[in-house]
Every structure is written in structure tokens, then in C-alpha cells.
Amino acid sequence: MLAVAIVLGAWVVPSSPRARPGWVLYDRYCLACHGASGDGRGPAAPYTRGAPRDLTRGDHAWRTTATGEPPTDDDLRLTLRHGAPGTSMPGFDLTPSQIDELIAVVKAFAPAAFAMRASPIKLGPAPAVDATRGADLWLKAGCSSCHGPDGRGTSPVARAIPTPPYDLTREVLHRPRMGDKRTAAAWSIATGRSTMPGYAGALPDADIWALADHVVALNAHAIETRGLSDRAIEADRKARLAAARWPGNDPDEAVVWGGPIPPQGPAPASLAPAQASLSAQQCARCHNKQVREWSPSLHAGASSPGLAAQMLGMRPAEAARCLDCHAPLAEQRTDRALQSQGLSCAGCHVRAWKRHGPPNVAPSLLPIAGYPLATLDLYERADFCVGCHQLPPRTALDGRPLLDTYREWLEGPYMKRGIQCQHCHMPNREHTFLGIHDRDTFRQGIELTARTHVKGGAVTVVATLANIGAGHYLPTTPTPAAWLSIELLDARGKPIAGASDKLRIGRDIYFDGSWHERSDTRIPPGERITLSRVWRSGRVAEAVTARIVVEVHPDDYYDRLYQLRLAGKLSAERRSLYDQALARARKSRYVAEQRDLAIKR
């Protein structure tokens, strides 16, 4: 009976990754890069620094075992806990049991590989640093044949390797580590990786440590870059990733955004009249709360007068590409009333008359017989938004596409905590989609600090604005701009001439047949920008107050564009649309924060 129980027990042990308890964690933290199939082709893969690992091969570089052997669980724990520096793989602050659940999912993608025995290599203790000897060994041990004598990875052999070595002088060492670079380099040399053989047993441990010292010396001035990698840009130039398309490969989820939304076709006879409509007004009969939240949103206003005015001057194919995001339903191409609803309920939720939405539907939304519903985890992941909030890598300007919000989130502090776009922009599944156009939302993302100082008759004012709440750059797109300004006031509260300064915060771009960038002063997540000014002359002695202001123009780029277009020759229809658009852009401006500080002498 005991033997039978053991066999039966083996039958019920979940074998597929999705059957593992850790799949929920994988979906939240890992799927974006490694994909639903674990093949490294997740929706975020085109935007990562370093290609996501194909977990189905069971070939893991970061291990303490010999070449051809799988990593130990401790090796996988180190990677999940600390990430791979210089790549998009972050370290995850998860509990030990959650880490173990994720490890079980990773191993389930390659059960045959992990069925092999893993025997950790023993590496002797680190001797005294000897980079000079390591430089000599670099040539004698043959490291330079692939990595090059200077470590730049540009040797003739390197160009023939499927995965060429990276530039050790520019890129930080990728190996996950709790401690120093030296230990990380030594283990990579000992165990090998990719096409590089492991040298444990082939070289004395002392030589491995000396080589590690030379690698650390080569890597001394390497820095982590925030722009897109050349690999990602070149790969996209070949693949031509489509804008407004979800770039994953899960067929069930690709139904939503994986390609142009096909016409719904005739509505099934089983649907009631309200269900057989694509109008948000009919959706409100059952989803009144969601439609009330959506109605004043930017999604509802995506077919704005400014867009309409620009589309009048476009070729049909170009205009159609705009509608892919602004009014994505096929029926919106010909139905102007439906097009005016912008990104509506059906644009996100209805395909071939079947509803699609997140799991765990609210109990208040009673199931309706004959009205099919498909639940997808995609609706609760940030990559749901990638098609319209991220441009392809090949469009990069100075290493960053003009729309780079998804990649900023991917590289920021929120992704590794499992915080998705929906957590901030659709809290509690609200359909408000609040962002920089909403003063309160912007203020939740910033922290303003300021101080004044007087010495020798000179007045110093320092104002600092920090991005404490946005999981992407602040502001994220080139459309908005914020100004951090300082102004000295006299005893009557009047500005003192010549005693003011301001700093534009945003990505300042222009187009003259191609895109150009004047400056990029946006604030990355968790970082800050400072405006500091000293006044020594003029009427500075009259200053009693320093006024610090944060003013936001959510539509700054379009404000300037509309003025430029209105200065030219336009049809009456286009002029009217641009007039409306300019008025809306200027109406969106607001003061996010104002602070008056006394100047104490």
C-alpha cells in the first residue's frame, strides 16, 4: 500500500509550470520578459537590456556547477534575489517561500535538464589581489582570443560566436552577486557560460582569481546605461515590431491586442440589443460605474480635435495608424459617432462579440446566459498597455523612443515589486486612467523641498523636486512639461526685477523632417532635480520672501504645435479644430504646488 501511495502521490504532483503554486508569482514578476511559455519571448523582451533567458532550455549561466549541469536551487535563489546588474533582470524582494515557488516554476520549464545531478564546484579561498599576473594570464590562457586583448569583445573569433562576449570595459559584470565583482568574475571564469568553457580544474584556483582581478580592472569604469541596447535596436530594425501591437506570443492573450482588431461581424442572435452594441452608452446599462469613470478620461477623449486636425493632413494609411490606439475598433473607421468615443469599452474588451476581461469578476456583475466572457491575466499586467504606451526600439532618439513609458516602468523600481500600471492608473479597477492631466495625481508623484540662505548680503535659494511616486520618468512622454521656478518678492509681495529663475522639466523635442532632442531633464523614479540660484546685486536687499512654484503644462508640445499650424494656411475645418485643440491644451495647465519661504537675515 505504501508503494501505491507513493506512485499515486507522484501522479498528483503538478508537472507543468502553470500547474505550480508559483505560477501566479511568475505571471506577475517574470512573464513579461520570459514569456508565457518560458521561451524568453515575453512582451517585454524587445525592450530589455540583455535578451531574456529561454527557460525551456535549462541552460543557466549563473551557476556554481560544471558546464552542462543545471544550477543548484541556491544559484537560482541568488539570481532571483539579486538580479543581474547591467541587464533588465532585477532582484525581487520576495519571501523565501515565494522564491522557492518561483524556482519550482523555472525548473518545470525544463524538467529533463533539472533531472540531472548538480554538483557544485569548489573554488578555493580568494588570495591577495594580483591584477598584473591576471593580465599576463589573460593572454596565456587564451582569454584574449575571444574577448580581445583589451576586453572589448571585438576579436575576429568573437564575431563568429553566436553569442559574442560583451564589452568588459563598458558594461558592468552581469553575474548576480551579493558581494563584490571579484567573486562574481571568478565564478564566471570557473564555471563558464554560453559558449565560454569553464576553467575549474583546467586552471589552478589561484590563476582563476588572478584572471578575475584583471577582469575587475577592465571593468573598473563600466557604468549601467539606461537607454535601449544596440542589440534591441538592431533586432527591431530586422523584425519591424509593430506599434499599437502587443508583442507577446500567447495566442489566447494575443486576441486582444496582438494585431489589428478585425470587424466584429454580425451580432449573434443570442445577444440582447444592448449587448449587440459597441457604443459605451449601451455598456453603461450594466457597467454604469465604469462608464461614469471613463467618460471624462483621456481614453474617452482620445479622438480629440487636435488628432482630427492632424489626420486631415495625413495619408490614409498614416491616419489609420493613429486610430490603432486612439479609436482601435474596425467599426470606428467608418462610424464617426463611434470614433468620437475614442478608446472605448469595446476597444479594450470586445472581440468577435465575446467579452474579455480580468479574472475575479465582481460578484455584483451577475453572469448573463448567452453573453460569453473570457478572463485573461493580461488585463492585470502592465504589458496590456505596452502597444499604445511604448514605441518600438528602432524609433529610439538618443537611446530612447519618444514613447518609452513601458520600458521606463520595466527598468524602474515598481516592476520588481510586482506593481503594474493598473495599480496606479486603475486603482481598485477604476476606469479613470488619471495621469499628469490631473493635479492631485501629479502631486502624489512629487516631493518639493526648498530652503533659503543669506550670507554677506547674497541670497541663496535651493529648490528640489523629487519623483517619489511615478514608476516611470516624470513626466514620461515629450508632450508635457513642468517648470520649477524661484522668484524673490519684496515686503509688498511684488516680484523683484531680475531676481527669478526657472527650470524646464521634460523631454524637449522637435521635428524638421526627422526628430531631434534639445534636452531631457525628466526625473527618473526615485531621483530628483535641483534648481539653485544666488543673487548678490540689484534690489536683493529688499527680498523678504522666496516663492517656489511647480507649474505643469500637460499638453506643452501640442500647445506649441497647434500655434505653429494656426500660423499657416488652413481650411476652415482644420482651423476650427486647431482652435479647439489649442484652447483645450491651454485650459489643462495648472499650478501643482506653490511655496513661500521667509528670507531670514
Side-chain angles (χ1 to χ4, degrees), residues 5 29 58 76 83 146 246 256 285 307 315 354 421-422 501 536 556 558 570 596:
Y29 294 97
L76 294 175
C146 291
W246 181 74
V256 182
R285 298 182 69 177
L307 176 72
R315 297 186 298 273
K354 177 187 283 189
C421 305
Q422 294 87 334
D501 201 0
R536 294 186 175 87
D556 180 69
Y558 286 111
L570 298 169
D596 290 351

Side-chain angles (χ1 to χ4, degrees), residues 80-225:
L80 289 168
R81 180 69 68 200
H82 297 283
T87 77
S88 295
M89 173 71 184
F92 298 103
D93 187 15
L94 300 172
T95 66
S97 61
Q98 288 175 320
I99 292 286
D100 287 346
E101 288 182 355
L102 276 176
I103 288 173
V105 174
V106 170
K107 293 167 73 172
F109 278 117
F114 282 95
M116 297 175 59
R117 183 178 177 181
S119 302
I121 291 168
K122 294 186 183 300
L123 183 62
V129 173
D130 194 350
T132 302
R133 181 162 166 266
D136 184 52
L137 285 167
W138 183 260
L139 300 174
K140 290 181 178 178
C143 304
S144 61
S145 62
C146 291
H147 291 277
D150 54 5
R152 296 183 184 278
T154 55
S155 71
V157 173
R159 287 192 286 271
I161 298 174
T163 307
Y166 58 87
D167 186 344
L168 291 169
T169 66
R170 295 179 57 193
E171 297 184 58
V172 298
L173 299 184
H174 295 172
R175 189 180 185 93
R177 53 185 177 269
M178 291 185 294
D180 60 321
K181 283 185 180 181
R182 190 187 189 206
T183 303
W187 274 109
S188 288
I189 295 166
T191 60
R193 52 157 302 172
S194 187
T195 53
M196 172 181 158
Y199 286 87
L203 289 176
D205 288 352
D207 287 358
I208 290 176
W209 283 108
L211 281 169
D213 293 333
H214 181 60
V215 170
V216 170
L218 290 171
N219 203 239
H221 302 293
I223 57 172
E224 286 200 47
T225 59

Side-chain angles (χ1 to χ4, degrees), residues 412-464:
Y414 282 10
M415 184 271 182
K416 64 182 180 182
R417 291 173 171 85
I419 300 173
Q420 313 291 308
C421 305
Q422 294 87 334
H423 284 96
C424 294
H425 296 283
M426 297 183 67
N428 200 29
R429 293 189 177 176
E430 293 178 2
H431 284 61
T432 51
F433 310 107
L434 295 178
I436 198 168
H437 284 76
D438 180 70
R439 179 175 180 266
D440 289 338
T441 300
F442 181 80
R443 291 187 66 187
Q444 289 164 5
I446 63 170
E447 180 181 64
L448 176 66
T449 56
R451 58 185 174 86
T452 64
H453 176 68
V454 180
K455 185 176 181 180
V459 176
T460 300
V461 183
V462 180
T464 299

Side-chain angles (χ1 to χ4, degrees), residues 60-97:
H60 294 261
W62 317 127
R63 50 187 166 70
T64 55
T65 57
T67 302
E69 292 186 2
T72 66
D73 284 5
D74 282 341
D75 293 333
L76 294 175
R77 286 188 187 97
L78 186 69
T79 302
L80 289 168
R81 180 69 68 200
H82 297 283
T87 77
S88 295
M89 173 71 184
F92 298 103
D93 187 15
L94 300 172
T95 66
S97 61

